[in-house]
Every structure is written in structure tokens, then in C-alpha cells.
């Protein structure tokens, strides 16, 4: 049987916000499998048992560049170690310059972008020089270049921590802006159900079945209950299925809004700074103790 360590329990608690003992029980039941333990907690405690998707684990900014006619644009993320550096003017300029280069030069990947000319050198030499000047590491993480089918709208929120680039066909400028703001607020995973990964749907279905079973529902009803849960989940995580954040009646979905305005969304990209990056949490007291021990050992 896998050993359940205190660090494993701590990690699961940080991901789920579940009680410590419940985390330990779930890990024991899952044989130490973190993902399975998280599922077990969701069955027992519901959706509130997972916060991982909302946790921002690195600093940095999102930059967006859109050409004047709205037909070409890019969204770009660069990370730093601290929020202090993320507010530095030179760091912000590097982000903006890179976003424009992505739109103008269409680099294939981060390596190709890094090799492009910038200032008196390249993107990479500029980044390296800034690292040396500030004394903190910074890394180019990802970008997307978009050639619009309609017209691009963008939105930056929270000190450049959340960025949205959306391609809206038809409608007007206000509609496009509203859709971009909605995406930033509601954080859909996909445009419609076809864009939601099958493994996510399988997980939701499996959890729904286990919860219904624990509630004593008849076996014959489990699949139907699970399907209803999956359909509700799809409404929550797809842009077209979500209720528009500015809906006056609190019911109008984005799909209904677009139909009313004779418009459609060809696609969108949502970047949340640090999403999916595990940030090392340092123990300051432990670091001081370690440094003191090392200094004593060198005497």
C-alpha cells in the first residue's frame, strides 16, 4: 500500500480546500493517486472540493495586440517570479513588443519568437539582459496568433492577469466587447460541447454516478442522472451555453444573445496568468534555518 505522507495530504488540501482528515482518507482510498483522491473528495463534498482551476500559481502578464482593422491579432503570456516585476515598465514593454511580433511575424513557437530581431538584438537577448538588470528570472510561456473570420475584440482584466481575444462575426462593437468581458468573467473552457475534452465529461459522469449511488438512487436511474449532470456541466463550461453576465432577466444565454444580434463567435482564447503552473511555496523559517546550518558548517 502506498505511503500517504504529510506533504501529499497538504497538497491535496491546497487543491481542494477539503478538511485534512478527509484528504488523508481520500488518498488512502485512492492508493496515493492524487487525481483519483480529488475525484473521491468531489463525490463526497461536491464541486466545492476543487479549487485547482482557479488557482493562479505564477506571476506575469498577458499582452494583446490587434491590428487596426481587427482582422489580425495575438495574445501572449510572459511569466515572472514576482508581481513586483510584472509591473515593471520594461517588462511590460517586452510583453507588448512580443505580442506585436507574434501578430506581424507569425513565429511557429516560443523558440522561433525568441530568435526574432528586437531592439539592438533579439527577443532572447532582450529578455536575458532584462533578467540581468532586474535580477529575477522571466520566461516566455505561450502565445496564439489569430486571423479573424469576423472581427477581433479583446479585453484585459486584473492588472493584465486575465486576457481574452475573441473573433466575433457580425453584430457590433459593443456586442464584441460584451462577449470578451463575459469570457473573462465566466472563464468558459470551450466555445461549445464539441470543444470540451472527453476525459472531463467522463469524470463528471463518473462522479455523478457515484454521488447518486451513495444517495441510494436505483441503479436503473444512474445513467439518466449522470447524463443530466453532464448536460448541466456543459452549460456551465461552454461559452454558448453560459448565461450572459449582463442578462437583464438572468436567463439569456450567450447563444441566445448572438442569435438576437445576428452574430456568431468563430473562436476565442482566454489566458489566465500562471494557470496550470505549480509555484514553489517556500518556507521562510526553514530557509533561514538551512542557511544558518550551512554557515555554521563552513566555519
Amino acid at each position: 500500500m502506498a505511503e500517504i505522507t504529510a506533504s501529499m495530504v497538504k497538497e491535496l488540501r491546497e487543491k481542494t480546500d477539503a478538511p485534512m482528515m478527509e484528504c488523508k482518507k481520500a488518498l488512502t482510498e485512492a492508493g496515493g493517486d492524487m487525481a483519483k483522491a480529488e475525484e473521491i473528495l468531489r463525490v463526497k463534498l461536491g464541486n466545492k472540493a476543487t479549487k485547482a482551476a482557479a488557482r493562479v500559481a505564477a506571476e506575469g502578464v498577458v499582452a494583446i495586440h490587434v491590428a487596426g482593422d481587427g482582422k489580425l491579432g495575438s495574445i501572449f503570456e510572459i511569466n515572472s517570479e514576482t508581481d513586483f516585476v510584472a509591473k515593471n515598465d520594461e517588462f511590460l514593454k517586452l510583453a507588448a513588443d512580443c505580442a506585436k511580433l507574434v501578430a506581424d511575424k507569425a513565429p511557429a513557437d516560443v523558440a522561433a519568437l525568441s530568435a526574432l530581431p528586437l531592439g539592438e538584438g533579439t527577443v532572447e537577448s532582450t529578455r536575458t539582459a532584462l533578467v540581468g538588470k532586474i535580477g529575477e528570472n522571466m520566461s516566455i510561456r505561450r502565445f496564439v496568433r489569430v486571423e479573424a473570420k469576423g472581427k477581433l475584440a479583446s479585453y484585459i482584466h486584473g492588472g493584465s492577469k486575465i486576457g481574452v481575444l475573441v473573433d466575433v462575426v457580425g453584430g457590433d462593437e459593443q456586442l464584441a466587447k460584451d462577449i470578451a468581458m463575459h469570457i473573462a468573467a465566466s472563464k468558459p473552457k470551450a466555445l461549445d460541447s464539441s470543444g470540451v475534452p472527453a476525459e472531463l465529461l467522463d469524470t463528471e459522469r463518473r462522479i455523478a454516478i457515484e454521488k447518486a449511488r451513495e444517495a441510494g438512487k436505483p441503479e436503473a436511474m444512474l445513467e439518466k442522472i449522470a447524463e443530466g449532470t453532464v448536460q448541466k456541466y456543459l452549460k456551465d463550461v461552454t461559452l454558448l451555453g453560459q448565461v450572459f453576465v449582463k442578462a437583464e432577466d438572468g436567463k439569456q444565454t450567450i447563444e441566445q444573445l448572438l442569435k438576437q444580434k445576428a452574430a456568431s463567435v468563430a473562436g476565442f482564447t482566454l489566458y489566465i496568468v500562471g494557470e496550470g503552473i505549480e509555484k514553489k511555496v517556500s518556507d521562510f523559517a526553514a530557509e533561514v534555518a538551512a542557511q544558518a546550518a550551512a554557515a555554521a558548517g563552513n566555519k
Side-chain angles (χ1 to χ4, degrees):
M1 188 175 187
E3 180 186 0
I4 308 303
T5 65
S7 63
M8 291 168 67
V9 174
K10 181 174 179 289
E11 181 182 348
L12 185 59
R13 176 170 167 71
E14 288 176 349
K15 282 186 173 183
T16 64
D17 206 29
M20 197 74 76
M21 287 307 298
E22 290 295 333
C23 291
K24 186 173 183 180
K25 288 177 185 176
L27 281 165
T28 302
E29 187 178 336
D33 185 315
M34 192 66 65
K36 188 175 179 182
E38 192 170 340
E39 266 193 38
I40 290 169
L41 285 175
R42 285 194 57 198
V43 169
K44 292 181 178 179
L45 305 177
N47 287 340
K48 65 181 180 180
T50 179
K51 302 189 304 178
R55 296 176 71 91
V56 176
E59 300 301 337
V61 295
V62 175
I64 294 175
H65 177 81
V66 177
D69 62 359
K71 287 291 186 178
L72 176 66
S74 67
I75 182 167
F76 168 86
E77 179 184 351
I78 184 169
N79 298 123
S80 60
E81 291 181 48
T82 65
D83 187 51
F84 177 77
V85 169
K87 295 174 182 175
N88 177 278
D89 287 342
E90 289 180 90
F91 181 79
L92 292 172
K93 183 178 185 306
L94 175 60
D97 287 345
C98 285
K100 187 174 187 304
L101 278 173
V102 168
D104 292 346
K105 303 298 183 181
D109 51 29
V110 170
L113 171 62
S114 298
L116 289 175
L118 181 63
E120 297 180 359
T122 64
V123 169
E124 177 58 19
S125 68
T126 303
R127 183 196 70 83
T128 303
L130 194 54
V131 169
K133 181 178 180 179
I134 295 176
E136 180 174 312
N137 191 29
M138 53 193 72
S139 58
I140 294 172
R141 186 185 183 198
R142 55 182 175 170
F143 59 80
V144 170
R145 181 177 184 271
V146 180
E147 294 182 20
K149 293 181 180 177
K151 193 171 182 179
L152 293 173
S154 64
Y155 182 67
I156 292 285
H157 180 73
S160 299
K161 300 300 182 187
I162 298 174
V164 175
L165 189 62
V166 58
D167 182 0
V168 180
V169 181
D172 55 25
E173 189 173 331
Q174 185 59 51
L175 173 67
K177 182 180 178 182
D178 283 344
I179 297 295
M181 290 177 68
H182 171 95
I183 292 168
S186 299
K187 301 175 179 61
K189 295 182 182 296
L191 176 61
D192 55 31
S193 59
S194 67
V196 180
E199 57 267 27
L200 288 182
L201 299 183
D202 289 342
T203 297
E204 292 301 315
R205 187 173 284 107
R206 189 164 58 247
I207 289 170
I209 287 174
E210 289 304 316
K211 287 178 74 172
R213 188 173 281 141
E214 285 197 359
K217 301 295 183 182
E219 287 290 323
M221 290 180 59
L222 296 185
E223 286 296 336
K224 186 175 181 180
I225 291 172
E227 185 56 33
T229 299
V230 167
Q231 291 306 313
K232 182 180 183 302
Y233 172 77
L234 286 172
K235 288 181 180 179
D236 290 340
V237 302
T238 58
L239 175 60
L240 297 184
Q242 289 177 339
V243 173
F244 179 38
V245 290
K246 292 172 67 174
E248 294 181 2
D249 62 358
K251 296 179 181 179
Q252 185 184 40
T253 65
I254 293 293
E255 185 172 27
Q256 291 168 340
L257 172 66
L258 290 167
K259 187 175 181 180
Q260 178 186 322
K261 301 287 186 178
S264 63
V265 171
F268 73 88
T269 300
L270 165 67
Y271 276 178
I272 301 172
V273 168
E275 185 177 35
I277 298 176
E278 289 297 328
K279 186 177 182 180
K280 181 181 178 182
V281 179
S282 60
D283 184 330
F284 181 71
E287 284 186 11
V288 172
Q291 289 173 7
N298 290 331
K299 288 182 178 179

